[in-house]
Amino acid sequence: VRALIVGRGGAPALADAPRPAVPGECLIRVRAAGICGTDLQLLDGYADFAGVPGHEFVGEVEAAGDERGRSLIGRRVVGEINVGCGACASCTAGVKEHCPTRTVLGIVGRPGAFADYVSLPAANLHAVPDDMPDEAAVFVEPTAAACRILEQTRVGPSTRAAVLGDGRFGQLIAQTLKAAGAETLLVGRHPAKLAIAASLGVETAVAGSLPPDAARFDLVVDATGKPEGIAQAVALVRPRGVVVMKSTFHGEAALPTWPIVVHEVTLVGSRCGPFRPAIDLLARGAVRTAPLVSSVARLEDYQQAFAAARTSLKVIFRM
Ligand SMILES: [Zn+2]
Ligand SMILES: [Zn+2]
């Protein structure tokens, strides 16, 4: 079966690979998989990655290694990407995302979804509603990451929120905050991408057009993916406000820290989130994704697909 394998140094190639067979896990035939910024970073050599990337997928369970998995055979599922050891303090507390020996689908120690088949434990899988198209279901994982913010800080109708970054992730975060009731502004540099957000009812602004002393937001989310995003976020948050950090660029950020101290700003690191609320947001159309799909590609056309993903919003592989 096909698998897109990245060698150390970053050059991907389509290869013929054995079907995964992990005892106790589910074998899932991948139907579609989305390209995310993290995948592009892995291709650029981030984390010295080698293996099969891809962690935003929807697929059909074909075989299972346990009772729970057998009940999913034939179902269309999406999958949480962290697999814990099951025994450490984090895993025992139900936080497999922070298991020190975890594997992460398509990122750390576990082949990902840019392939015909992928393997995950049944406990990681969630069935998706029959009427949710594959092209929407691939957004569950990043939407869950957006929902993580709602677990970390109070967001409601009185929240004035700004999201920095008009890329695929910033767009999902802005819609998610808006769905939670927040008055939400998406700030970006790309008029075409901002126009898509505006067409979905999200208020937008061009980066740099906000007065530098416009520190008035209760919550600012940095989804720029760039080292300079965090300083911009700190400049826009009100005293005692919250800055959520979602950018996982490689390297360091230059950040004057005194404003954080003087204005008593709370910095919150934020990664993976809950799937159930994400599926719900997508199912009821509170987060809309069709306009965010820039193109759909065959796995064979991975080079064009990755190139397109660098400048457009979501590129989806259709297996
Ligand atoms: Zn991702
Ligand atoms: Zn563990």
Side-chain angles (χ1 to χ4, degrees):
V1 300
R2 300 171 305 165
L4 189 70
I5 297 177
V6 177
R8 247 175 249 289
L14 199 56
D16 194 22
R19 212 167 288 222
V22 184
E25 296 194 355
C26 288
L27 177 69
I28 303 144
R29 187 174 56 78
V30 179
R31 293 171 58 92
I35 300 175
C36 136
T38 303
D39 300 316
L40 300 175
Q41 288 169 354
L42 294 178
L43 290 173
D44 291 341
Y46 171 64
D48 205 17
F49 178 83
V52 182
H55 56 274
E56 304 176 356
F57 76 95
V58 57
E60 189 179 316
V61 179
E62 280 198 358
D66 64 0
E67 208 46 55
R68 185 171 182 173
R70 274 187 278 280
S71 69
L72 290 168
I73 288 176
R75 300 291 302 271
R76 237 166 19 112
V77 296
V78 291
E80 297 176 30
I81 68 176
N82 298 276
V83 180
C85 70
C88 72
S90 286
C91 287
T92 308
V95 190
K96 58 185 182 297
E97 292 79 8
H98 291 292
C99 171
T101 57
R102 68 186 178 272
T103 58
V104 187
L105 185 73
I107 300 174
V108 182
R110 174 173 284 269
F114 295 160
D116 284 320
Y117 283 91
V118 75
S119 177
L120 274 176
N124 283 56
L125 303 180
H126 298 263
V128 294
D130 290 339
D131 57 358
M132 182 183 289
D134 289 338
E135 286 77 8
V138 296
F139 284 91
V140 170
E141 196 277 336
T143 303
C147 288
R148 176 75 183 124
I149 298 167
L150 308 180
E151 295 181 325
Q152 293 177 296
T153 184
R154 200 184 300 272
V155 178
S158 62
T159 308
R160 293 163 305 174
V163 179
L164 309 188
D166 54 13
R168 50 201 143 235
F169 193 26
Q171 300 259 353
L172 291 176
I173 294 169
Q175 290 193 61
T176 298
L177 297 181
K178 190 163 178 278
E183 186 189 298
T184 305
L185 181 69
L186 179 67
V187 183
R189 302 189 175 282
H190 308 91
K193 293 178 181 177
L194 291 174
I196 288 171
S199 77
L200 293 167
V202 175
E203 214 184 306
T204 65
V206 177
S209 71
L210 300 172
D213 59 347
R216 61 186 175 89
F217 293 96
D218 305 303
L219 167 65
V220 183
V221 181
D222 170 30
T224 60
K226 304 227 161 62
E228 53 271 26
I230 179 67
Q232 292 161 0
V234 168
L236 289 173
V237 77
R238 69 159 165 81
R240 296 194 175 171
V242 175
V243 168
V244 172
M245 302 164 67
K246 280 293 194 185
S247 296
T248 52
F249 54 85
H250 199 26
E252 296 179 2
L255 178 67
T257 53
W258 66 262
I260 300 168
V261 177
V262 170
H263 303 308
E264 300 188 304
V265 172
T266 301
L267 294 186
V268 180
S270 182
R271 187 163 50 98
C272 296
F275 269 46
R276 276 290 151 215
I279 291 170
D280 181 57
L281 282 175
L282 293 164
R284 62 187 173 88
V287 170
R288 288 190 285 159
T289 56
L292 306 183
V293 178
S294 303
S295 57
V296 177
R298 301 179 313 157
L299 198 53
E300 287 77 8
D301 300 325
Y302 61 90
Q303 261 154 348
Q304 298 94 306
F306 288 130
R310 288 188 189 276
T311 54
S312 62
L313 292 173
K314 188 62 76 183
V315 178
I316 295 173
F317 286 120
R318 193 77 167 98
M319 303 308 163

